[in-house]
Amino acid sequence: MAAAPARPFFLSTIGKKYLMALTGLVWAGFVLSHMAGNMLILVSANLYNAYGHAIVSNKPLLFVAETVLILSIVVHVTMAIMLTLENRQARPQKYAMTPNGAKGSSLASRTMAIQGSLILAFVILHITTFKYGTYYETTVDGVVMRDLHRLVIEVFHQPGYVAWYVLCLLLLGFHLSHGVGSIFQSLGLRGDNVAHKIKKVSLAYGFIVAAGFLSQPIYVFFFNS
Amino acid sequence: MSGGSGKNLNLKLKVWRQKGPKDSGAFVEYDAPKVSEDSSFLEMLDQINDRLVLKNEEPISFDHDCREGICGSCGFMINGNAHGPMKNTTVCQLHMRNFKDGETILMEPWRATAFPVIKDLMVDRSAFDRIISAGGYISVDTGNAADANATPIPKPDADAAFSAATCIGCGACVASCKNASAMLFTSAKVSHLALLPQGKVERHERVDHMVAQMDAEGFGACTSTGTCSASCPKGISLANIAMMNRELLASAVMKREAAAGDGI
């Protein structure tokens, strides 16, 4: 086999992982801020609606944020599909026994593609349900705005939706618990001196995002009538 | 020489038998009676093979050479783990005392598109040689060896380079990785050389060509699971992969092409 010619950075497996990491970073940052902002649902309906109104009123910011998020998820999913296919081609014949214990891989790392697919389905459904859901109106401090709070309360009283929501957010937490740490590795920012800390940060990140998001439907379903 | 336990084990083996690269292969069961706890895994296989030869059967093929854990020749999966259950250990350095009497031991070859099976537990690892040929060297003019102290190297760099240089190229990293990725092997070579002054000269070309060759061989990508490092008989660190990723990015943004006409 002749020596392979050097290729453009983003066509290499490592370049693809850089794209995975950078786009993953965008979404990891987004879900944390989204979770934190939505915690207002535990505070008051008016505050929650005013927060939503402030975001949609800032058109340039919204345009930039939505564009970056859409581009990021498209690139993230495309790279994920390409890398997963390459990875499967690299070992078509499975082992009779898979590595276990210290020499085995974590469940989160082995199932990133399945988690990602479900999370993508969730994101699409979630946007349909809320962003493009029923438009109620309310007035807060004399300003007419969308009553998103009312829609959220309605949806979070449907047991089927809450169960699906809980499942997907647990998956998101699981996805982040492996993904956030991998961002550092893929970007080349994980040295031996910080590897242990990065693992903890990654686990904590997944836990905090999932716990924060989950507190919202659970609170609404059980305590807000 | 004394010091062994002198105990024997009676084991069952399930071994992958494959006549050649095109044979589909299958597991075959063997009894392994009276295996000394003090013998190495390969010595146990030698005994099995002696019996197979006496019965006019084909012995089990497996790679081995130094049997001291330093050449990188041996290696296969034992009960799903590359080089068996022990950490930082090659198959040849694995002792039968790590197994229980009556246990069934399953052996299969490294499995990867880039490592086709030659026979039984032997695989073709020449993909690694081609990755090295692509840039895993330092081009130096021959001549007298420079004085050791004439080229100062910071101690942390020297230590990291030495750690990376302990890679014996056995292929356990590829075998244990769920993606059959060769990132740990390639990165060990890339960082070993890029950390040293002599290797810095060609660092950009080296990482470009070695990664391109690695990809062309059909190895998978890194999912940062760490199984490679856990299975590595030399405990090569994942930090090498992070360094290789940085090196490739640095090459993409900083590499300069040589000017035409010798730069004049």
Side-chain angles (χ1 to χ4, degrees):
Chain A
M1 189 167 158
R7 297 192 297 170
F9 180 71
F10 287 117
L11 292 183
S12 67
T13 43
I14 294 172
K16 287 179 200 146
K17 293 301 289 198
Y18 263 89
L19 287 175
M20 277 298 273
L22 291 170
T23 52
L25 185 65
V26 167
W27 273 81
F30 169 70
V31 291
L32 183 68
S33 62
H34 187 35
M35 179 277 286
N38 279 22
M39 292 307 272
L40 289 172
I41 202 164
L42 309 185
V43 183
S44 85
N46 282 354
L47 215 52
Y48 185 80
N49 283 330
Y51 166 68
H53 185 68
I55 292 174
V56 293
S57 304
N58 193 336
K59 298 276 186 234
L61 179 79
L62 191 66
F63 176 77
V64 172
E66 285 185 343
T67 309
V68 170
L69 284 170
I70 291 167
L71 281 178
S72 293
I73 207 163
V74 167
V75 171
H76 196 76
V77 170
T78 310
M79 290 301 126
I81 292 168
M82 288 170 79
L83 286 164
T84 304
L85 291 176
E86 282 173 26
N87 292 343
R88 288 190 182 163
Q89 278 166 10
R91 175 167 302 124
Q93 188 169 7
K94 301 289 168 217
Y95 286 114
M97 278 177 88
T98 47
N100 49 46
K103 294 185 178 182
S105 49
S106 67
L107 181 65
S109 70
R110 284 199 308 273
T111 53
M112 288 298 271
I114 303 162
Q115 298 158 32
S117 306
L118 278 165
I119 292 166
L120 179 65
F122 170 76
V123 168
I124 294 167
L125 195 75
H126 178 74
I127 292 170
T128 317
T129 311
F130 293 113
K131 189 175 169 72
Y132 300 105
T134 317
Y135 194 96
Y136 298 117
E137 261 188 2
T138 185
T139 308
V140 179
D141 296 333
V143 182
V144 178
M145 60 181 69
R146 184 178 182 188
D147 191 356
L148 194 59
H149 184 266
R150 185 176 158 191
L151 175 64
V152 173
I153 299 295
E154 276 179 14
V155 172
F156 282 176
H157 275 109
Q158 299 168 16
Y161 191 90
V162 172
W164 159 248
Y165 201 93
V166 168
L167 170 76
C168 290
L169 289 169
L170 286 173
L171 279 176
L172 176 65
F174 205 46
H175 199 70
L176 289 167
S177 73
H178 177 73
V180 170
S182 296
I183 290 172
F184 290 90
Q185 176 73 357
S186 294
L187 296 181
L189 301 174
R190 183 161 72 178
D192 283 333
N193 51 340
V194 289
H196 195 62
K197 286 178 196 153
I198 287 172
K199 193 171 183 183
K200 283 185 183 164
V201 166
S202 193
L203 285 171
Y205 202 98
F207 180 81
I208 290 167
V209 169
F213 270 131
L214 286 175
S215 68
Q216 298 158 19
I218 290 172
Y219 168 77
V220 171
F221 189 77
F222 289 106
F223 305 110
N224 187 322
S225 54
Chain B
M1 204 169 103
S2 63
S5 73
K7 286 183 194 159
N8 284 341
L9 302 170
N10 293 306
L11 303 164
K12 276 207 184 310
L13 309 180
K14 275 179 88 173
V15 186
W16 183 261
R17 300 303 309 262
Q18 185 172 335
K19 290 193 178 97
K22 290 189 178 150
D23 182 35
S24 55
F27 284 103
V28 177
E29 289 197 26
Y30 298 95
D31 282 323
K34 293 182 189 169
V35 173
S36 166
E37 272 197 338
D38 305 319
S39 65
S40 76
F41 202 92
L42 296 188
E43 285 167 341
M44 182 273 291
L45 276 181
D46 290 339
Q47 289 174 7
I48 299 291
N49 277 345
D50 285 348
R51 286 193 207 114
L52 289 175
V53 170
L54 286 173
K55 288 196 282 183
N56 273 333
E57 287 181 35
E58 188 74 14
I60 301 161
S61 291
F62 58 91
D63 264 321
H64 63 108
D65 192 9
C66 76
R67 299 207 178 194
E68 292 178 338
I70 55 173
C71 76
S73 293
C74 68
F76 43 81
M77 303 301 272
I78 300 171
N79 291 340
N81 291 313
H83 288 300
M86 304 295 285
K87 286 196 83 173
N88 300 323
T89 307
T90 52
V91 167
C92 65
Q93 294 287 292
L94 178 67
H95 284 80
M96 296 313 296
R97 67 180 81 99
N98 296 300
F99 297 89
K100 293 188 198 81
D101 190 35
E103 192 174 341
T104 299
I105 303 176
L106 185 134
M107 284 170 250
E108 35 180 345
W110 295 161
R111 294 205 188 280
T113 303
F115 284 173
V117 173
I118 298 170
K119 192 176 181 186
D120 300 336
L121 303 175
M122 286 174 87
V123 298
D124 178 359
R125 287 169 288 186
S126 55
F128 271 9
D129 297 336
R130 290 188 291 273
I131 292 174
I132 295 294
S133 302
Y137 50 78
I138 294 172
S139 309
V140 285
D141 296 330
T142 52
N144 290 338
D147 183 80
N149 293 323
T151 316
I153 301 168
K155 184 71 164 66
D157 288 359
D159 288 347
F162 265 119
S163 291
T166 57
C167 168
I168 53 176
C170 65
C173 46
V174 172
S176 60
C177 174
K178 71 184 184 67
N179 305 332
S181 171
M183 294 276 283
L184 193 68
F185 167 79
T186 311
S187 69
K189 309 301 174 186
V190 165
S191 37
H192 161 208
L193 299 174
L195 282 162
L196 300 174
Q198 299 89 335
K200 286 192 199 295
V201 181
E202 295 165 294
R203 65 194 301 178
H204 296 327
E205 291 82 358
R206 176 181 305 116
V207 71
D208 275 3
H209 290 112
M210 289 182 80
V211 169
Q213 190 65 39
M214 175 184 84
D215 287 351
E217 297 289 348
F219 292 106
C222 174
T223 313
S224 312
T225 66
T227 54
C228 53
S229 186
S231 304
C232 176
K234 302 298 160 184
I236 304 277
S237 167
L238 280 185
N240 289 298
I241 298 180
M243 176 160 179
M244 175 164 73
N245 292 2
R246 287 198 303 277
E247 284 287 307
L248 192 72
L249 180 67
S251 167
V253 296
M254 287 159 65
K255 188 168 74 174
R256 285 190 288 266
E257 300 294 336
D262 290 337
I264 299 166

